[in-house]
Amino acid sequence: MRRAIENAIESGLRVRREELHRTALMFCYQLAIVSAFIVGRTVRDALFLSRYPLDRLPLMYVTVAVVVSIASLTWSRLAERGRRDVMITRTLSGAAAVLFLTYGLLAADLAGHWLYPSLYVFVEIYGAISMIQFWTYANEIFSSREAKRLFALIGAGGVVASVVCGFAVGGAARGLGAESLVLSAGLFLALGAVIVRQLGKVAARTTHSGARPTTKDERKAARRSVLDNKHLRLIAGIVCLTMLTTTLVDYQFKVIARESFAGDEDGLAAYFGYFYGFAGLLSCGVQFFAIGRLLERAGIAVALLVLPIGLLTGVSSLLLATFTAAVPALVASTLAKGAENVFRYTVNDATMQLLYVPVAAQLRARAKALIDGVIKPVSVGVSGLAILGLTRAFGGVGMARDLAWLDLMLIAGWIGLVLGIRKEYVRSLIGTLRTRRLDFDSPFSIVADEGTVRVLGKALASEHETEALHALELVPTVQPDLGPVLGAAIARAVGHGSPEVRIRSLELLGRSGKFEHLEPIRSRFTDVDARVRAAAVRAFCALGRERTFREATGFLRDRSPVVRGAAVSGLFEHGGLDGVLAAAETLKTLLASPDTRARVEGARVLESARVRNFYAPVLALLQDPVLEVRLAAVRAAGAMRAEALGPPLVYLLAQPRVARAAAAALSAYGAEAEPLLVTVLGHTRESPVIRRQVPRILARVGGEVSMAALT
């Protein structure tokens, strides 16, 4: 049962067995800290709005902007003084202790008037710091390749927390009272500390300290380079207007909610809880079902307009509420605030990250530090000062509805910048591609000088998995032929404590073409990890070719199907005729095995062999009851490009779980698939589900026949 569950997780969520523990703990860690923030934010809003004068709320925005900026800067410097997991555990434990003390003061009726604004600011501090800590730590314990697969799943912990905690707070506030929920926020932070402590044990080998802090002169130079870039100035302008507008909307929402629940503190807390719960539920739908389709079909500019247009709808309703009682002010302000919560942290944040793609990687890092670390909090502070000045000059808190006119002005400017950045985005992207600065993984091109080779060699010897893997990714760009220094360092890395490092090292040695690396490869034949043994067999066959025939055939009887599959692949590709004959029977056994993993490995062998006449087993595997096997067979069909496999792949387009893989396989056929695809497209009696997939495949093929059919 356990293995079946692990197989389901690996195939459905793309989480490997060795990653499962870390991923589960990080998911729970995210769930805990986001839950603490949601509960804390709900309680602090209810307590502050009920027990403190409303004309002080704008001061809270200013105070939060200043204090959070100072706290973030302080944390970034303190974090370098010790192990990351230890520092995070201490921070979360300290924050939990503060909340427990706050609960004690509230329960004993010892809370002074100062406690409510202090709690308001403190919740923002631990909310901001805990998220910085989370993503910094996540980037340290997961490699860049793992991050691309797993961060969306890990981040879903926050989405789940927003739904569960929102509804839980809404239901518990009236029964337990708003004050008692402070204790719940502290318990969530304490739970986060326990999880991080466990993570420190699980991921001890992959955790390391952050980058070297920058100097004051370096920070000044970074700001100048960012502000000299027109594309980045537009991004900064959009971020500034976003924070100004959403802070105003937040103020209006809280003021109107307080007026609507005057004297009912627990009712106000319950309302906030249900609001965040329903907003989280809608955010789930947008996060999982809308963002990808919107970006793919409408583009960046349209996606960036979703949030301001959503806010425009709510703000317009708020203006309408000032002239007629038909639209309740609470409903209008909730609509505006709901648009922010649903669209800002889903569509808007995801699309804003894409705006950084055309920016050179070094400048991108500096820009994000300046925009996120300085411009965002400063914009919130400016908004708070503006609210304070306007409310004192023109009518106190009663003018919350009238601020909608200022909202409209800011949204108009925001939309103008979005429309302007579309052209600048394309121009920057073209310029970046022309200068070959577009690099998603490495911030610069590396020169193979002596110092660089020495640094890489030292990194390859590091006990930290992430550092060693990054070095292994850079080695081919520095010395594709593996010079003596790096070659020796990689040969030593095959004994690294991390299986991923051992696998990557063996792959590089197998492609080196140097026979002196046969012995380091051979040393991994008895590795405890089957994937490492398989990588060793593939590398050994690739390097030694026909002369490795005798040793390679011994692995055809290995207990692991992964290793047997690697031996078959190696013999097929590098063992000559004798290798093919020796491995054929094992391949048949793999393909007919009742073991799912064995059939998957058999399909992978056929994928690497790319022999069109071997299509018959693939036809059978395309009908396999196990999804993982069918997907492996689809990939094999795309690699083989046999004519007989085309029609089955077309009919797989109607199966949602394999449709994307089938489309990719048909695209790999290139012009050879055009006659079949054009026929399917023009066959009006064919399933519309299948026909709808065909135009995109033809677009990928891009041949004259495809273009004529599409036209």
Side-chain angles (χ1 to χ4, degrees):
M1 177 64 72
R2 179 181 177 182
R3 181 172 292 276
I5 294 173
E6 290 177 345
N7 286 336
I9 293 174
E10 185 174 0
S11 59
L13 301 178
R14 300 172 66 201
V15 181
R16 297 170 183 166
R17 285 183 176 84
E18 66 274 10
E19 301 163 348
L20 187 57
H21 199 177
R22 278 180 295 153
T23 303
L25 286 173
M26 288 300 290
F27 179 91
C28 294
Y29 175 20
Q30 171 85 329
L31 183 71
I33 60 175
V34 173
S35 297
F37 180 62
I38 290 173
V39 175
R41 180 175 58 180
T42 304
V43 175
R44 68 97 194 263
D45 286 346
L47 293 177
F48 181 85
L49 294 172
S50 299
R51 305 187 184 190
Y52 218 78
L54 271 178
D55 59 356
R56 302 299 174 86
L57 182 57
L59 285 175
M60 289 296 96
Y61 294 121
V62 179
T63 306
V64 163
V66 174
V67 175
V68 169
S69 298
I70 295 173
S72 300
L73 180 61
T74 303
W75 159 255
S76 67
R77 294 183 176 180
L78 291 176
E80 308 303 326
R81 299 183 179 180
R83 273 180 46 179
R84 186 80 64 186
D85 58 311
V86 174
M87 298 297 293
I88 294 175
T89 301
R90 291 174 180 173
T91 305
L92 293 176
S93 300
V98 172
L99 290 177
F100 292 151
L101 177 61
T102 302
Y103 171 72
L105 293 174
L106 290 170
D109 201 22
L110 298 175
H113 216 48
W114 55 270
L115 183 62
Y116 306 113
S118 299
L119 179 62
Y120 192 103
V121 175
F122 181 70
V123 169
E124 287 294 332
I125 291 174
Y126 79 68
I129 297 298
S130 62
M131 291 309 296
I132 293 173
Q133 291 173 335
F134 177 85
W135 289 113
T136 302
Y137 195 39
N139 278 288
E140 290 183 357
I141 68 175
F142 291 100
S143 68
S144 58
R145 289 174 293 178
E146 292 172 332
K148 292 173 183 176
R149 286 187 292 105
L150 302 176
F151 274 12
L153 174 62
I154 292 170
V159 179
V160 173
S162 65
V163 177
V164 175
C165 285
F167 287 117
V169 169
R174 289 190 181 275
L176 300 177
E179 293 180 353
S180 64
L181 295 176
V182 175
L183 180 62
S184 302
L187 290 173
F188 277 122
L189 288 179
L191 175 62
V194 173
I195 295 171
V196 173
R197 186 174 181 180
Q198 182 63 27
L199 265 168
K201 299 176 183 178
V202 173
R205 290 181 176 179
T206 59
T207 307
H208 60 281
S209 60
R212 178 183 61 85
T214 57
T215 66
K216 186 176 180 180
D217 290 340
E218 288 173 330
R219 289 194 293 271
K220 287 183 178 179
R223 286 194 290 270
R224 285 195 300 270
S225 61
V226 170
L227 296 176
D228 287 341
N229 186 296
K230 182 179 178 181
H231 180 67
L232 290 175
R233 288 200 303 272
L234 287 171
I235 294 177
I238 291 174
V239 169
C240 179
L241 288 175
T242 301
M243 301 312 297
L244 288 171
T245 308
T246 54
T247 304
L248 281 173
V249 168
D250 182 71
Y251 172 77
Q252 293 164 307
F253 172 66
K254 289 175 179 176
V255 169
I256 294 172
R258 195 254 196 181
E259 292 174 350
S260 302
F261 288 87
D264 187 3
E265 182 179 280
D266 295 339
L268 183 59
Y271 182 76
F272 283 150
Y274 282 124
F275 167 78
Y276 292 123
F278 280 111
L281 202 60
L282 292 173
S283 296
C284 283
V286 174
Q287 178 81 26
F288 295 115
F289 303 110
I291 295 178
R293 291 179 175 87
L294 181 64
L295 287 170
E296 180 181 350
R297 298 179 183 180
I300 285 179
V302 173
L304 284 175
L305 288 173
V306 170
L307 176 58
I309 290 175
L311 289 173
L312 183 62
T313 303
V315 168
S316 300
S317 301
L318 194 56
L319 282 175
L320 191 61
T322 62
F323 299 110
T324 175
V327 181
L330 181 61
V331 173
S333 63
T334 300
L335 183 61
K337 181 65 177 176
E340 180 206 342
N341 275 44
V342 172
F343 298 130
R344 178 182 165 190
Y345 302 107
T346 54
V347 176
N348 198 73
D349 279 2
T351 311
M352 286 299 296
Q353 298 307 311
L354 294 179
L355 289 180
Y356 290 98
V357 169
V359 182
Q362 278 184 309
L363 185 59
R364 187 188 313 150
R366 295 195 292 266
K368 288 176 71 66
L370 175 62
I371 292 172
D372 293 341
V374 178
I375 292 177
K376 273 188 177 181
V378 167
S379 300
V380 173
V382 169
S383 186
L385 290 173
I387 295 170
L388 183 64
L390 290 170
T391 52
R392 289 189 174 179
F394 298 106
V397 298
M399 71 165 300
R401 295 173 179 82
D402 296 330
L403 286 174
W405 294 107
L406 181 56
D407 290 333
L408 288 179
M409 294 172 57
L410 292 173
I411 291 172
W414 183 355
I415 292 174
L417 286 181
V418 170
L419 296 176
I421 204 171
R422 181 180 182 182
K423 182 178 179 181
E424 187 62 28
Y425 175 87
V426 175
R427 190 193 67 79
S428 298
L429 185 60
I430 293 173
T432 301
L433 290 170
R434 285 175 177 170
T435 56
R436 297 183 180 180
R437 290 182 288 115
L438 191 61
D439 186 356
F440 293 95
D441 296 315
S442 177
F444 44 81
S445 299
I446 300 179
V447 180
D449 59 1
E450 182 180 350
T452 301
V453 171
R454 185 169 60 252
V455 170
L456 280 177
K458 184 178 179 180
L460 288 169
S462 171
E463 65 180 24
H464 300 300
E465 180 188 65
T466 303
E467 187 175 354
L469 284 173
H470 286 170
L472 288 167
E473 289 176 357
L474 294 174
V475 163
T477 67
V478 176
Q479 285 185 345
D481 59 341
L482 300 188
V485 175
L486 290 182
I490 294 174
R492 290 190 295 270
V494 299
H496 195 277
S498 163
E500 297 296 330
V501 174
R502 299 200 296 273
I503 291 170
R504 181 62 178 152
S505 300
L506 289 166
E507 290 172 352
L508 289 179
L509 293 181
R511 294 200 298 265
S512 67
K514 298 181 178 180
F515 293 111
E516 62 265 27
H517 294 149
L518 284 174
E519 283 308 312
I521 294 173
R522 188 183 277 113
S523 69
R524 291 294 101 196
F525 282 174
T526 56
D527 197 285
V528 295
D529 192 310
R531 296 177 303 120
V532 177
R533 296 201 306 274
V537 171
R538 284 193 294 269
F540 194 70
C541 292
L543 196 57
R545 297 189 175 274
E546 290 88 356
R547 67 189 69 186
T548 62
F549 173 81
R550 289 181 177 274
E551 290 186 73
T553 53
F555 291 97
L556 295 174
R557 297 180 297 276
D558 192 278
R559 64 182 183 277
S560 168
V562 177
V563 178
R564 295 200 301 274
V568 173
S569 294
L571 289 169
F572 266 46
E573 292 180 46
H574 310 292
L577 180 59
D578 290 339
V580 173
L581 294 175
E585 193 60 33
T586 302
L587 175 59
K588 292 180 182 179
T589 304
L590 288 171
L591 294 169
S593 173
D595 183 1
T596 297
R597 177 56 58 186
R599 299 199 302 280
V600 169
E601 291 303 322
R604 289 177 178 172
V605 170
L606 294 174
E607 179 184 358
S608 63
R610 299 174 183 265
V611 179
R612 296 192 179 190
N613 291 337
F614 289 0
Y615 66 85
V618 178
L619 280 173
L621 294 179
L622 289 174
Q623 307 301 320
D624 196 283
V626 179
L627 174 63
E628 187 180 3
V629 178
R630 294 203 304 276
L631 288 172
V634 168
R635 291 191 291 270
M640 295 168 68
R641 297 190 297 174
E643 183 178 355
L645 296 174
L649 287 174
V650 167
Y651 285 105
L652 286 176
L653 294 174
Q655 298 183 18
R657 302 176 75 183
V658 295
R660 180 173 296 183
L666 287 166
S667 301
Y669 273 62
E672 297 176 26
E674 286 180 322
L676 173 63
L677 294 171
V678 170
T679 301
V680 172
L681 184 62
H683 199 307
T684 56
R685 294 186 179 181
E686 188 55 82
S687 166
V689 177
I690 294 176
R691 294 178 66 216
R692 277 198 296 268
Q693 302 276 355
V694 173
R696 274 180 282 188
I697 303 173
L698 289 174
R700 293 183 194 175
V701 174
E704 292 183 4
V705 175
S706 297
M707 294 301 102
L710 291 172
T711 305

